[in-house]
Amino acid sequence: MCGIIAYIGRKDCKDILINGLKRLEYRGYDSAGIGILESKNTKDAKGIKIKVAKEAGKIKMLEDMIGRSEMKGCTGIGHTRWATHGEPTKVNAHPHLDCKQEIAVVHNGIIENYAEIKEELIEKGHKFVSDTDTEVLPHLLEEYDEGDLQIAMSRLLARIKGSGAIVAISTKYPDQIIAGRIASPLIVGISKDANFFASDMPAVLEHTRDFLVINDYETVRITREKVQIFNISGEIVKRDPFRASWNIESAEKGGYEDFMLKEIFEQPYGAKETMRGRLGNGKLDFSELDLSDKQINQLKKIEIIACGTSYHAAVIGKQVIEKWAGIPVEVDFSSEYRYRDPVVMDNCLFIAITQSGETIDTLAAIREAKSRGAKIIAITNVVGSSVARESDYVLYTHAGPEIGVCATKTFTAQIMIMYMLGLFLAKKRKSLEKARFSEIASELEIMPNKISDILDNADKLKKIADQTYRQTCFLFLGRIFGFPVALEGALKLKEISYIHAEGYPAGEMKHGPIALTDKKTVVVSIIPKDFIYEKMLSNITEVKARKAIIFSLASKKDKKIEELSDHIFYIPETIEELYGILAIIPIQLYSYYIAKNLDRNVDQPRNLAKSVTVE
Ligand code: AGP
């Protein structure tokens, strides 16, 4: 939550900062600001001032406002905010300044002990103007600065509790930008003529694809030419940069109206890329896991933790691993796991799923499990993310950057990993017949084509959305392999349309939720022709009898489903365990078109942020 960018180089940085913030807007979009070190003669420190511009609302508001003012300088910081402490007002927007207006700070995270620090600073005579926790940071730097801002930042990291990616500029040190990190994402972008800090790669992809990760409690000094990383003891740390495979085109809308739509249509590619090097010509390779056959055969349990959409991928993972590999799997919300005193048994594999690799609860759950002796496999889309770095093994999804707040292509890439992992474990444990293994593997290999077939029929889903978007309650129902799709369907719809929606196992309807059904209800039934089809039909008949509108996602034409449904969309036939990945595609599109009919901002839904880096 919150996006940070910083630039030091030879160019005027106003536009670089604003463009970078636009690319980070998915991380927070309630207010934004930039701070630039301005001077006619940058060699003369006395003439240097920090010029700050901030505005409540979207970055466009800030851009319009800055358009009317002069802001020149080659060193600057920027921030887009997702409010935690203090309302999303102009005064609470970042950057925040110290008393002398010599230091400006942007911050992503939460300072848990800010109240106590603030009190102490007020006693010392510091003046505060905002309601934020962040404002203590420039004042602390002002207190700690004894001639080296990096050392001051290091002392600051030792003083605060909570989380933070913190970036500071100072009129006293115009040739450098200093950052510090505890638990919140921050990377360094390196180029020939300039260096950057950013919360995420897309912010600076148009300038560089070379990055350095920063670890917790490290501080970093960047100048135009140099990057220096310091550990907690103040020693310089050597670290090799990595080159991102993402490019700037992958972080642009590319002619689509929204990132969400573009990302939905990128799913065949994401699925294919995620299979690349792992599954092909019936062969499955997961050597990146580096687990011995003995370890796999001794596995007694798998524990998967995740949040939101990633949690739904975890439920799909549980189903196929249990069915194919015969290993019991427990799935937990990271936010529950981290506080529930979990038992970590021997021979248990621990998997964390997170597209961003920065979700604070998932990170905390990993740390909790590690402290109890667990080995961690991370499944993430972001190379070098915190979860990737803190895990023992990483399985990257190769979906490309996902900018829309709503997870789409990263979800299907996660599902592909879960399917392949289930198959891999089954192969090692010899729990699947050879023929069955080959059948599933071949079906997975052609999955991108089947996804494309669905996308070719997007207009049909638009029509159904046009006819149903005024309904006030949506129930997504499925059984077994359709159940996680129902959960994800409800989440998709509610997060981008703000309509009340629930995902339920269809068999549970009679235990309560059926009371909700009336003629204002749409029941989205995930009803492929699988072993539970007849049971699903009975459940749908029951809600139909209560006047609900039935929209069925079926796989095979038959009379019964046609009679029962007000709307039907047919997904391609596949093996019953694999229907999940196909059924979610039409639901993503359906939710998208409903939200567009309601004039919602699908890329930046209200109150949400792409990566949840605060509790
Ligand atoms: C998905 O559409 C949501 N925006 C959200 O539920 C998301 O899946 C969740 O915050 C988990 O994020 P992660 O995968 O980056 O950990």
Side-chain angles (χ1 to χ4, degrees):
M1 295 174 148
C2 299
I4 288 176
I5 179 159
Y7 170 90
I8 184 160
R10 292 172 205 289
K11 296 183 187 163
D12 260 336
C13 64
K14 182 180 85 177
D15 293 341
I16 295 171
L17 297 177
I18 292 289
N19 290 338
L21 287 182
K22 283 187 185 163
R23 295 188 188 285
L24 290 174
E25 200 164 20
Y26 66 88
R27 302 182 67 88
Y29 31 85
D30 60 39
S31 52
I34 60 172
I36 291 178
L37 290 180
E38 270 199 336
S39 165
K40 284 202 177 99
N41 173 8
T42 45
K43 281 183 193 139
D44 174 11
K46 282 187 201 145
I48 294 172
K49 282 206 169 78
I50 295 181
K51 185 140 185 195
V52 168
K54 8 193 203 178
E55 196 57 280
K58 302 247 177 210
I59 288 157
K60 182 79 185 61
M61 312 275 284
L62 175 71
E63 192 180 21
D64 291 348
M65 197 264 277
I66 293 174
R68 297 192 293 272
S69 71
E70 274 285 295
M71 274 185 108
K72 279 195 175 305
C74 306
T75 303
I77 54 179
H79 187 269
T80 177
R81 182 167 184 245
W82 189 90
T84 54
H85 292 73
E87 285 179 24
T89 56
K90 185 169 175 165
V91 75
N92 287 337
H94 302 208
H96 289 283
L97 299 169
D98 68 325
C99 298
K100 296 184 210 132
Q101 313 227 321
E102 287 177 348
I103 301 169
V105 169
V106 290
H107 165 231
N108 166 25
I110 289 186
I111 315 294
E112 286 165 8
N113 55 343
Y114 85 98
E116 149 204 332
I117 297 175
K118 191 169 175 175
E119 214 176 292
E120 205 178 290
L121 288 165
I122 288 171
E123 262 173 43
K124 288 186 172 162
H126 290 262
K127 299 264 181 296
F128 286 80
V129 294
S130 78
D131 310 316
T132 65
D133 53 341
T134 300
E135 203 183 354
V136 300
L137 302 175
H139 292 276
L140 271 183
L141 288 176
E142 185 182 3
E143 281 289 315
Y144 292 155
D145 179 20
E146 290 172 354
D148 188 330
L149 197 59
Q150 176 269 321
I151 294 176
M153 180 68 81
S154 191
R155 287 180 66 191
L156 177 148
L157 292 190
R159 177 71 178 86
I160 59 169
K161 290 200 182 97
S163 59
I166 304 160
V167 181
I169 49 174
S170 163
T171 55
K172 287 206 250 168
Y173 313 97
D175 56 351
Q176 54 184 281
I177 306 180
I178 303 293
R181 175 183 191 239
I182 310 173
S184 296
L186 192 67
I187 46 172
V188 183
I190 313 160
S191 79
K192 218 166 100 233
D193 308 311
N195 289 310
F196 304 81
F197 286 114
S199 300
D200 205 352
M201 291 187 271
V204 294
L205 273 179
E206 65 187 295
H207 309 288
T208 182
R209 285 171 60 194
D210 295 321
F211 295 97
L212 273 168
V213 295
I214 309 172
N215 292 330
D216 282 354
Y217 291 98
E218 285 179 344
T219 49
V220 185
R221 183 194 333 264
I222 59 170
T223 64
R224 280 176 189 168
E225 297 87 12
K226 232 167 64 188
V227 177
Q228 285 175 305
I229 304 177
F230 300 85
N231 66 16
I232 199 163
S233 323
E235 295 148 347
I236 291 197
V237 178
K238 284 229 155 102
R239 186 161 302 143
D240 291 330
F242 68 92
R243 174 152 284 217
S245 58
W246 297 355
N247 56 32
I248 189 61
E249 289 73 37
S250 58
E252 307 249 344
K253 281 189 196 161
Y256 284 89
E257 206 175 319
D258 320 270
F259 279 110
M260 181 182 174
L261 192 62
K262 177 188 176 228
E263 287 157 5
I264 290 174
F265 275 86
E266 283 173 341
Q267 292 181 103
Y269 174 80
K272 206 182 280 170
E273 283 303 297
T274 301
M275 272 191 286
R276 189 187 297 281
R278 290 173 174 142
L279 179 62
N281 301 321
K283 297 225 164 9
L284 188 57
D285 180 357
F286 256 118
S287 44
E288 56 205 310
L289 270 186
D290 201 24
L291 289 173
S292 69
D293 291 4
K294 190 173 166 203
Q295 278 172 306
I296 293 174
N297 279 297
Q298 284 179 344
L299 280 179
K300 293 247 172 330
K301 188 186 157 195
I302 292 176
E303 171 84 48
I304 315 182
I305 53 113
C307 301
T309 291
S310 298
Y311 175 86
H312 303 147
V315 179
I316 292 178
K318 169 187 166 73
Q319 293 179 333
V320 293
I321 293 171
E322 288 187 341
K323 186 162 174 82
W324 297 338
I327 307 168
V329 181
E330 196 173 345
V331 176
D332 256 300
F333 288 110
S334 314
S335 51
E336 290 290 305
Y337 183 88
R338 62 179 292 192
Y339 290 119
R340 76 164 170 78
D341 205 9
V343 177
V344 175
M345 49 194 263
D346 288 344
N347 299 320
C348 171
L349 195 62
F350 193 92
I351 302 176
I353 309 182
T354 162
Q355 66 77 23
S356 64
E358 300 293 349
T359 301
I360 194 85
D361 283 323
T362 302
L363 255 178
I366 286 176
R367 289 174 187 156
E368 181 62 41
K370 266 183 128 176
S371 73
R372 291 166 192 249
K375 285 264 179 245
I376 319 284
I377 299 177
I379 296 175
T380 183
N381 198 45
V382 181
V383 176
S385 56
S386 303
V387 166
R389 281 182 284 149
E390 294 201 18
S391 300
D392 298 283
Y393 313 101
V394 187
L395 296 175
Y396 284 109
T397 49
H398 297 295
E402 190 175 69
I403 310 292
V405 163
C406 180
T408 51
K409 62 175 181 174
T410 52
F411 179 56
T412 42
Q414 288 169 347
I415 300 176
M416 286 305 289
I417 293 262
M418 296 319 294
Y419 288 158
M420 288 188 286
L421 185 62
L423 212 48
F424 168 76
L425 295 172
K427 188 179 173 198
K428 291 284 177 195
R429 291 165 71 98
K430 300 188 176 55
S431 51
L432 267 183
E433 302 262 316
K434 263 194 178 155
R436 180 77 179 141
F437 175 90
S438 303
E439 187 195 5
I440 300 170
S442 326
E443 192 60 20
L444 279 180
E445 287 184 52
I446 56 167
M447 211 42 96
N449 303 343
K450 295 195 173 183
I451 297 174
S452 293
D453 290 346
I454 297 173
L455 296 171
D456 288 344
N457 287 294
D459 55 332
K460 292 186 184 151
L461 292 152
K462 182 174 182 320
K463 270 190 201 140
I464 302 172
D466 291 348
Q467 289 165 41
T468 50
Y469 76 95
R470 286 199 184 84
Q471 300 302 113
T472 51
C473 173
F474 284 69
L475 295 173
F476 289 77
L477 304 182
R479 295 186 77 136
I480 315 298
F481 300 112
F483 167 54
V485 183
L487 294 178
E488 174 62 6
L491 177 62
K492 282 303 80 129
L493 184 71
K494 65 186 141 192
E495 75 177 315
I496 57 168
S497 72
Y498 321 146
I499 301 175
H500 174 70
E502 284 195 42
Y504 243 83
E508 283 292 296
M509 282 300 285
K510 287 197 281 286
H511 301 284
I514 200 162
L516 285 172
T517 21
D518 61 16
K519 62 179 190 314
K520 294 298 280 172
T521 308
V522 175
V523 169
V524 181
S525 100
I526 297 123
I527 185 164
K529 202 76 184 255
D530 58 7
F531 76 100
I532 201 103
Y533 179 73
E534 297 295 334
K535 302 277 176 215
M536 264 305 284
L537 273 180
S538 316
N539 296 141
I540 300 309
T541 312
E542 287 151 15
V543 283
K544 175 82 179 169
R546 271 98 190 155
K547 299 196 167 44
I549 295 167
I550 310 295
F551 168 24
S552 296
L553 291 160
S555 60
K556 209 172 193 166
K557 285 195 187 204
D558 87 16
K559 229 172 151 221
K560 284 189 214 157
I561 192 77
E562 285 188 350
E563 275 169 14
L564 207 55
S565 310
D566 298 281
H567 308 279
I568 306 187
F569 184 87
Y570 288 101
I571 53 177
E573 286 189 69
T574 186
I575 292 166
E576 60 190 20
E577 294 96 305
L578 307 183
Y579 270 117
I581 194 165
L582 294 180
I584 195 59
I585 312 283
I587 294 179
Q588 293 168 345
L589 282 165
Y590 178 59
S591 305
Y592 170 83
Y593 290 123
I594 287 183
K596 291 301 279 186
N597 271 317
L598 295 168
D599 216 15
R600 308 291 192 228
N601 182 340
V602 293
D603 284 342
Q604 293 165 358
R606 69 181 181 200
N607 307 337
L608 297 179
K610 183 73 182 164
S611 29
V612 181
T613 52
V614 292
E615 262 192 81

